């Protein structure tokens, strides 16, 4: 059995051994349900779809919080307890370790996204909507949230390899995520930057387009390459810090 | 099995370890000793490949630690200082996880883990959650982890730290059982344990090698053969100290305590461990002193350690 898969399984187990996963899920399901209801009532009569409301809620509210929590779990605690030393003196490479931890966190994030999406499905189906149409609407949003979540998780992973302090890790990850949210608005204020660059870095606009079913490959490529880059940096940082 | 040649570690300008060389052969237990901050844990971290050396070479089972880390890790069982474990897992589940990571074939994992559990006397705790284990059983679990995959080399950093005397004895028995099949390097502050377990010792201080060699030979080659303690009663006005020091075999009188009724407790350092009591008894009878206790003790590893590290500290 692949060592990456073994570590992945253990990491997934860790989320559910501890109360972390359960508490995140409880808080998440309760508050998402409440906020979703409030937002649906507020947008009643407008042309905004249910899936757009849910993805905005996920994108602006839950993604930064969950990714920050997950980032705190990556390496900070293992460094402090010495478990990192133990695992890195086994026949396991740093890349295998990073890949397994990242995959486990991504799996958890996907579970969260799918749970949130189930609200929309439930409301749409009970309202007698067209299932094919609902799935088409949801796919764009899921795709974007998943890719963007993957990207910000890789940033969290990178930050976690840089600092043994969980609080610093959480703060920096949160700041990095919000920097991407506001990057588009900040760049918009600088006149000399070409329009295509401004469009490219305006992440919230891409989010809206995906929710409307407009699938644009540019942000997906951006998030994917960004993820690879930050994972590569994480591997290098861990190898260098191991060899310091 | 373990070959360390001219190992040096620097952090910036600070030299933590300077030109250290030693080796450990199969079937040997080598005690790795030194005061706090001597560089023991740094050396061990370099041996396991967790830290790189600034200069020098480390080979484990013929594999270079820097260049062939994966092969080194397959041949190495390591118990780190604080014995980090995944405390939320169960004993058996944790051992199976590590066994798989160590490359034990999937079909053999169960039987191999059973064998190790049996070897480390963990049978009654195989389903226990690790965080509920006592310190002693956690250490056993750490040793079990080190033994998984049947590595040829074992490196144990402070394996008996924090254990009660009963657990220490049990731990020693486990180590004794392992001696024939493995090359074992143990770092510890409990010198009496090292003396009992190890064939050879390596003592370092301030990152420098102080002494290495066979434990018995090193103790035999110390300045004195041991100490003799006696309790005698003398007549008033007799100079016991000068009479004792006049004996050829006596190096020095370490202590002289006067009790009531003329009894004196004397501790002397003697040149030869075996011969000194006869000469002392001769002196006692010729002076018509009354003797109620005479016993000799060999130098221990503690004496050797203190002498060696004191010399370095006084330089």
């Amino acid at each position: 059995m692949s060592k990456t898969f073994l570590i992945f399984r253990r990491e997934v187990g860790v989320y559910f051994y501890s109360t972390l996963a359960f508490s995140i899920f409880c808080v998440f399901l309760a508050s998402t349900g409440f906020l979703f209801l409030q937002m649906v009532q507020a947008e009643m009569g407008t042309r905004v779809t249910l899936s757009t409301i849910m993805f905005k809620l996920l994108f602006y509210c839950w993604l930064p919080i969950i990714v920050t929590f997950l980032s705190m779990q990556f390496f900070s605690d293992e460094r402090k307890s010495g478990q990192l030393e133990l695992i890195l003196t086994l026949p396991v490479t740093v890349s295998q370790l990073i890949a397994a931890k990242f995959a486990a966190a991504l799996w958890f994030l996907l579970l969260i996204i799918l749970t949130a999406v189930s609200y929309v499905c439930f409301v749409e189906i009970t309202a007698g909507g067209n299932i094919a149409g609902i799935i088409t609407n949801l796919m764009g949003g899921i795709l974007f949230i998943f890719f963007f979540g993957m990207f910000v998780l890789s940033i969290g992973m990178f930050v976690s390899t840089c600092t043994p302090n969980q609080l610093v890790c959480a703060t920096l990850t949160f700041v990095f995520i919000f920097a991407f949210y506001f990057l588009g608005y900040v760049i918009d204020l600088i006149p000399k930057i070409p329009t295509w660059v401004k469009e490219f870095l305006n992440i919230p606009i891409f989010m809206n387009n995906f929710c409307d079913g407009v699938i644009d490959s540019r942000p997906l490529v951006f998030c994917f390459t960004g993820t690879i880059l930050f994972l590569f940096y994480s591997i290098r940082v861990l190898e260098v810090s191991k060899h310091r | 099995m373990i070959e360390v040649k001219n190992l040096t570690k620097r952090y910036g300008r600070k030299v933590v370890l300077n030109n250290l060389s030693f080796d450990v052969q199969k079937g040997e237990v080598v005690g790795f000793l030194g005061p706090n901050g001597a560089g023991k844990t740094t050396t061990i971290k370099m041996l396991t490949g967790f830290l790189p050396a600034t200069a020098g070479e480390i080979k484990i089972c013929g594999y270079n630690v820097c260049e062939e880390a994966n092969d080194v890790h397959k041949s190495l069982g390591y118990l780190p200082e604080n014995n980090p474990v995944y405390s939320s897992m169960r004993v058996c589940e944790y051992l199976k996880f590590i066994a798989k990571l160590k490359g034990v074939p999937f079909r053999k994992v169960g039987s191999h883990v059973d064998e190790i559990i049996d070897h480390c006397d963990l049978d009654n705790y195989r389903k226990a959650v690790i965080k509920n284990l006592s310190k002693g059983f956690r250490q056993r679990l750490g040793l079990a982890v080190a033994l998984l995959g049947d590595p040829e080399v074992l490196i144990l950093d402070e394996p008996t730290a924090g254990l009660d005397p009963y657990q220490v004895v049990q731990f020693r028995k486990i180590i004794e059982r392992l001696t024939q099949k493995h090359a074992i390097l143990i770092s510890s502050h409990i010198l009496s344990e090292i003396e009992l377990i190890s064939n050879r010792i390596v003592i370092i201080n301030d990152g420098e090698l102080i002494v290495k060699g066979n434990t018995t030979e090193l103790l035999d080659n110390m300045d004195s053969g041991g100490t003799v303690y006696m309790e005698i009663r003398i007549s008033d006005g007799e100079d016991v100290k000068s009479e004792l020091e006049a004996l050829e075999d006596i190096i020095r009188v370490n202590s002289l305590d006067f009790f009531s009724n003329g009894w004196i407790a004397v501790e002397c350092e003697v040149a030869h461990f075996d011969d000194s009591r006869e000469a002392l008894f001769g002196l006692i009878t010729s002076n018509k002193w009354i003797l109620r206790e005479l016993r000799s003790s060999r130098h221990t590893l503690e004496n050797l350690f203190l002498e060696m590290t004191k010399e370095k500290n006084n330089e």
Side-chain angles (χ1 to χ4, degrees):
Chain A
M1 200 186 297
S2 151
K3 287 172 186 172
T4 310
F5 182 65
L6 276 171
I7 304 171
F8 165 78
R9 258 181 39 180
R10 199 207 75 85
E11 290 297 320
V12 168
V14 164
Y15 290 128
F16 292 96
Y17 279 133
S18 67
T19 51
L20 180 89
F22 296 106
S23 36
I24 287 182
F25 262 103
C26 283
V27 174
F28 172 74
L29 287 176
S31 15
T32 304
F34 176 75
L35 289 173
F36 183 57
L37 183 72
Q38 295 299 313
M39 286 172 79
V40 169
Q41 281 175 345
E43 300 282 356
M44 199 81 85
T46 64
R47 297 187 64 185
V48 179
T49 60
L50 287 179
S51 56
T52 306
I53 293 173
M54 179 53 86
F55 287 125
K56 275 188 177 171
L57 192 60
L58 274 176
F59 183 73
Y60 289 108
C61 176
W62 285 111
L63 205 59
I65 295 171
I66 289 164
V67 169
T68 304
F69 265 110
L70 292 174
S71 305
M72 285 163 71
Q73 284 279 108
F74 281 136
F75 284 109
S76 309
D77 207 30
E78 285 202 357
R79 272 186 189 209
K80 215 177 276 177
S81 65
Q83 284 157 354
L84 190 63
E85 183 184 349
L86 180 77
I87 206 115
L88 291 179
T89 49
L90 295 173
V92 174
T93 62
V94 172
S95 341
Q96 283 172 327
L97 186 65
I98 296 254
K101 279 178 173 284
F102 184 72
L106 202 58
W107 178 88
F108 187 78
L109 186 70
L110 188 64
L111 206 66
I112 292 267
I113 295 171
L114 293 179
T115 317
V117 165
S118 69
Y119 278 108
V120 182
C121 292
F122 179 76
V123 175
E124 291 275 19
I125 289 166
T126 48
N130 174 9
I131 294 182
I134 298 164
I135 291 172
T136 316
N137 272 349
L138 290 175
M139 283 313 288
I142 292 175
L143 200 64
F144 183 79
I145 294 279
F146 180 73
F147 268 78
F148 187 70
M150 185 169 81
F151 175 56
V152 287
L153 256 182
S154 69
I155 296 175
M157 172 74 83
F158 170 68
V159 173
S160 181
T161 55
C162 294
T163 172
N165 189 315
Q166 283 192 327
L167 197 67
V168 174
C169 174
T171 313
L172 285 178
T173 307
F174 204 74
V175 167
F176 270 119
I177 295 170
F178 269 92
F180 274 100
Y181 283 13
F182 292 110
L183 194 64
Y185 298 110
V186 173
I187 282 183
D188 224 15
L189 302 173
I190 307 167
K192 283 184 182 176
I193 292 176
T195 320
W196 68 269
V197 176
K198 288 180 183 176
E199 277 178 12
F200 191 75
L201 292 171
N202 207 328
I203 305 282
I205 285 184
F206 282 121
M207 218 287 288
N208 291 338
N209 292 342
F210 269 80
C211 290
D212 292 339
V214 182
I215 310 285
D216 186 346
S217 62
R218 286 177 303 166
L220 301 186
V221 172
F222 171 77
C223 288
F224 185 73
T225 48
T227 304
I228 300 292
L229 185 74
F230 276 105
L231 287 182
F232 173 73
Y233 281 150
S234 307
I235 293 169
R236 292 300 302 143
V237 168
L238 208 60
E239 279 175 347
V240 170
S241 66
K242 192 185 112 177
H243 287 124
R244 205 177 282 157
Chain B
M1 289 277 147
I2 302 178
E3 291 169 68
V4 178
K5 282 183 194 163
N6 307 322
L7 189 65
T8 300
K9 179 72 185 173
R10 285 190 213 100
Y11 288 107
R13 287 182 182 176
K14 193 184 175 191
V15 182
V16 181
L17 208 64
N18 190 19
N19 223 19
L20 179 69
S21 300
F22 67 90
D23 63 86
V24 185
Q25 300 302 326
K26 189 174 182 178
E28 268 189 331
V29 181
V30 173
F32 191 49
L33 312 172
N36 285 335
K40 297 190 299 295
T41 299
T42 306
T43 307
I44 284 175
K45 284 187 176 180
M46 286 194 284
L47 292 180
T48 59
F50 191 68
L51 280 179
T54 310
E57 188 183 46
I58 307 168
K59 281 187 174 176
I60 306 276
C61 296
Y63 299 114
N64 190 301
V65 167
C66 293
E67 290 155 14
E68 298 153 295
N70 213 36
D71 292 317
V72 166
H73 292 154
K74 281 178 189 165
S75 335
L76 182 74
Y78 175 42
L79 171 61
E81 191 176 359
N82 299 319
N83 186 19
V85 283
Y86 290 115
S87 53
S88 55
M89 293 175 95
R90 291 179 192 278
V91 169
C92 194
E93 179 191 17
Y94 177 61
L95 290 175
K96 280 181 180 171
F97 168 66
I98 300 284
K100 285 172 192 166
L101 286 184
K102 279 195 169 184
V104 175
F106 190 68
R107 286 180 184 176
K108 291 182 180 170
V109 167
S111 59
H112 183 59
V113 165
D114 285 345
E115 193 185 313
I116 297 291
I117 282 180
D118 195 40
H119 209 75
C120 296
D121 299 329
L122 282 164
D123 206 29
N124 294 333
Y125 296 89
R126 57 170 64 227
K127 286 187 178 172
V129 178
I130 296 171
K131 66 180 169 196
N132 296 333
L133 291 179
S134 69
K135 172 91 180 170
F137 281 101
R138 270 186 183 225
Q139 287 298 97
R140 280 190 207 187
L141 179 63
L143 185 65
V145 167
L147 288 172
L148 285 169
D150 205 16
E152 291 173 271
V153 172
L154 288 178
I155 297 178
L156 313 174
D157 194 1
E158 306 278 357
T160 50
L163 300 188
D164 66 38
Y166 182 69
Q167 290 169 329
V168 169
V169 172
Q170 285 188 321
F171 204 89
R172 191 200 311 151
K173 282 179 184 166
I174 295 171
I175 299 287
E176 280 166 358
R177 288 205 295 260
L178 298 170
T179 314
Q180 287 182 338
K181 281 174 73 183
H182 303 85
I184 306 176
L185 182 76
I186 300 185
S187 151
S188 179
H189 281 302
I190 305 174
L191 299 175
S192 54
E193 275 307 306
I194 293 290
E195 196 173 350
L196 286 169
I197 297 172
S198 65
N199 318 99
R200 289 199 294 130
I201 52 162
V202 175
I203 299 180
I204 62 166
N205 193 12
D206 285 339
E208 304 233 355
L209 179 72
I210 301 296
V211 70
K212 64 177 175 182
N214 183 287
T215 316
T216 322
E217 282 173 16
L218 287 172
L219 289 172
D220 288 344
N221 292 340
M222 282 180 76
D223 290 345
S224 65
T227 55
V228 170
Y229 175 86
M230 58 185 183
E231 285 184 18
I232 49 174
R233 191 163 76 187
I234 57 165
S235 311
D236 288 340
E238 282 185 288
D239 185 3
V240 182
K241 192 176 178 188
S242 54
E243 292 234 27
L244 284 169
E245 284 179 343
L247 277 178
E248 197 185 331
D249 224 30
I250 303 291
I251 295 174
R252 73 184 79 90
V253 174
N254 285 343
S255 65
L256 205 62
D257 297 324
F258 291 88
F259 301 144
S260 57
N261 303 327
W263 287 99
I264 308 172
V266 189
E267 193 189 80
C268 323
E269 212 149 295
V270 292
H272 304 99
F273 176 73
D274 298 325
D275 311 328
S276 55
R277 279 174 298 175
E278 284 175 38
L280 276 167
F281 191 72
L283 179 74
I284 290 163
T285 49
S286 64
N287 283 308
K288 293 182 180 169
W289 295 337
I290 300 166
L291 176 72
R292 70 176 180 192
E293 188 173 350
L294 177 65
R295 64 181 148 87
S296 59
S297 50
R298 276 185 185 277
H299 275 310
T300 59
L301 190 54
E302 189 172 298
N303 300 118
L304 177 71
F305 178 82
L306 290 173
E307 193 177 298
M308 292 297 171
T309 50
K310 189 172 71 185
E311 273 176 19
K312 172 74 187 171
N313 288 338
N314 289 344
E315 272 174 17

